Amino acid sequence: MKAIQITHQQGVNIIDIEQPQAPRDGEVLLKLCYVGFCGSDINTYMGRNSMALNPVIPGHEVGAVIEAVGSGVPETLVPGMTVTCNPYTNCGKCASCRNLRVNACQHNETLGVQRDGAMREFITLPWQKVIPAGTLTPKVCALVEPMSVGFHAVSRAQVTDIDVVMVIGCGMVGMGAVVRAALRGATVVAADIDDEKLAVARSMGAAYTINTLTEDVHNRLADITGGLGPDVVIEAVGSVPTYQMAVNEVAFTGRVACIGYAKTEVLLQTKYFVQKELDIRGSRNALPQDFRAVISYLERGTCPVNQLITKVICPEETPETMQWWSENPGKVFRILVKF
C-alpha cells in the first residue's frame, strides 16, 4: 500500500509498504480517508524536529473509517463507522500515568513523530485509541486532534467565564484554545502576525484581535483590560518573543499555559514569577475528554471548517506542497492528504 515518508533533509518519498490484512485481538483496522499535516511535520521536513524518527511516516490527525475489528473489540466499534484516533501512547508506570495524566506520559510515542504514523492507506490501532466521531465526516475528523490540544490548554489554565484570555498564535492549536475559552464564557483576545488568521479567530469566538507586528501589544491589552492585563495567556507559537510576551503581559496572579516548543533558550524576567505570583503551566497533547469536547463542538456545524483547511492534496502532491509550505509557513492552517 501507499505511504508518505519524510526525512530531515527536506526529502519526501512516496513508498510502498505492506498492507495489514486483518486486525489482531484487540485491534481495529482503519481505512484512512484524510490525514492532516501538523507543525511538527514541517519541522521534521526542515530538520528542526529532534524528537522525530528519521525517516518517518508522518500523520496523527486522522479521519478514517473502520474497515474491520479483531476479537475482543467492544460492540460500539463496528465496520463502516467514521472515527478519529488518539495518537499518543502511555506506559502506565511513569509519574504522569500514575497521576492519570496519561497525555503527558514520560515515554509517550506520538504517531508520526517517535513512531511511524498514519500517512498511509490502512493502519491498525488498539481499540482504546479509536474514537467514534458521531456525525462528523472523515474530512472534518482530521481537524479534531489539533483542536483538542488547544482545548486541553484551556483546561490546564482553568479558564472561567470571568477571565480575559489572550491566545498567542492562531494556528489550528491556537484556534482550538480560542474556541474552548469562548465556549467557557471567557473574553478572548487572539494575537497573531497574520490578519487573515485573526479574522478567522474573531469568527470563532475572539472578542478582540491584536496583530503583534503592527500594533502595540501592551497598550492594546491595557485598553482591553483596564490596565490589569489578561488573567490567562496561552502560548501557542513556541518562540522566544511569544514566551516573553506571555510572562510580561499576563496579569498579576495570572496563569500562563505553554503549548509551543521554543527552539532555543528563552530569557525570562523571573522576578515576574515572584512579583506576580504566576502559575506557569505546561500543556501537552490532549486527554480523551478533550477529543470528545472537540467532536461535540464540531457537530454543532458552526465551525468555519472550510477556512481551516488550506489545501487538500493527493499523496503525489506532497513533495511540492511541503516545499511551498516551508516557504509560506504563516499562510497554513491545515493541509490534508486525501487517501
Side-chain angles (χ1 to χ4, degrees):
M1 66 177 177
K2 189 181 300 181
I4 297 169
Q5 186 183 69
I6 294 177
T7 71
H8 290 220
Q9 295 80 36
Q10 299 190 28
V12 180
N13 303 305
I14 310 302
I15 62 174
D16 187 64
I17 62 175
E18 184 176 355
Q19 179 173 322
Q21 296 304 308
R24 295 176 294 185
D25 292 352
E27 288 186 340
V28 177
L29 176 63
L30 302 183
K31 182 182 187 302
L32 282 308
C33 301
Y34 293 89
V35 183
F37 275 116
C38 91
S40 65
D41 299 321
I42 192 63
N43 282 325
T44 299
Y45 175 79
M46 298 295 292
R48 299 190 297 235
N49 188 357
S50 61
M51 295 186 297
L53 295 176
N54 185 19
V56 65
I57 297 173
H60 53 260
E61 302 174 359
V62 168
V65 172
I66 295 178
E67 182 78 5
V69 298
S71 61
V73 173
E75 295 180 356
T76 52
L77 297 174
V78 297
M81 176 181 286
T82 299
V83 297
T84 188
C85 77
N86 181 330
Y88 324 120
T89 64
N90 57 284
C91 70
K93 299 177 182 179
C94 71
S96 299
C97 290
R98 287 170 56 192
N99 290 326
L100 303 182
R101 288 164 65 176
V102 294
N103 58 296
C105 174
Q106 181 179 351
H107 307 291
N108 167 67
E109 293 183 350
T110 298
L111 278 174
V113 186
Q114 294 96 340
R115 57 185 172 131
D116 282 331
M119 286 280 182
R120 59 180 84 186
E121 295 178 272
F122 293 90
I123 193 171
T124 55
L125 294 173
W127 71 262
Q128 296 91 338
K129 298 298 183 181
V130 177
I131 303 173
T135 60
L136 299 185
T137 65
K139 186 176 182 180
V140 175
C141 280
L143 304 179
V144 171
E145 191 275 341
M147 292 191 75
S148 73
V149 176
F151 271 47
H152 182 69
V154 171
S155 294
R156 286 286 293 142
Q158 296 178 303
V159 170
T160 73
D161 58 346
I162 62 172
D163 288 324
V164 176
V165 179
M166 180 186 187
V167 178
I168 306 176
C170 293
M172 277 297 301
V173 171
M175 287 298 185
V178 168
V179 168
R180 186 59 159 165
L183 288 174
R184 290 191 174 197
T187 300
V188 181
V189 182
D192 200 277
I193 61 174
D194 186 279
D195 285 330
E196 293 180 13
K197 288 185 176 181
L198 290 173
V200 177
R202 189 177 283 274
S203 75
M204 296 179 72
Y208 302 93
T209 58
I210 301 175
N211 187 313
T212 58
L213 279 183
T214 61
E215 299 181 73
D216 186 311
V217 175
H218 181 77
N219 286 338
R220 284 278 282 125
L221 287 172
D223 290 341
I224 293 167
T225 66
L228 299 177
D231 304 284
V232 175
V233 177
I234 296 175
E235 200 287 334
V237 177
S239 72
V240 172
T242 53
Y243 261 86
Q244 292 171 335
M245 183 188 299
V247 172
N248 293 348
E249 298 299 341
V250 71
F252 274 65
T253 67
R255 288 100 69 199
V256 178
C258 306
I259 308 173
Y261 283 83
K263 307 303 183 293
T264 59
E265 293 184 357
V266 181
L267 182 64
L268 296 172
Q269 292 289 344
T270 56
K271 68 178 182 180
Y272 290 150
F273 297 8
V274 178
Q275 290 178 347
K276 294 184 177 183
E277 199 174 50
L278 297 181
D279 289 332
I280 299 178
R281 305 172 183 180
S283 183
R284 185 181 181 192
N285 299 332
L287 287 164
Q289 55 263 38
D290 300 309
F291 284 86
R292 293 197 300 271
V294 173
I295 290 169
S296 176
Y297 161 68
L298 290 172
E299 283 188 308
R300 300 180 185 186
T302 58
C303 179
V305 293
N306 290 333
Q307 295 183 63
L308 300 179
I309 300 172
T310 306
K311 288 187 176 187
V312 178
I313 64 173
C314 66
E316 290 75 14
E317 294 175 292
T318 303
E320 177 185 353
T321 301
M322 295 299 283
Q323 178 62 37
W324 171 82
W325 188 9
S326 70
E327 297 168 355
N328 300 274
K331 294 299 182 182
V332 171
F333 277 118
R334 270 304 174 270
I335 296 169
L336 304 186
V337 178
K338 183 179 181 180
F339 286 91

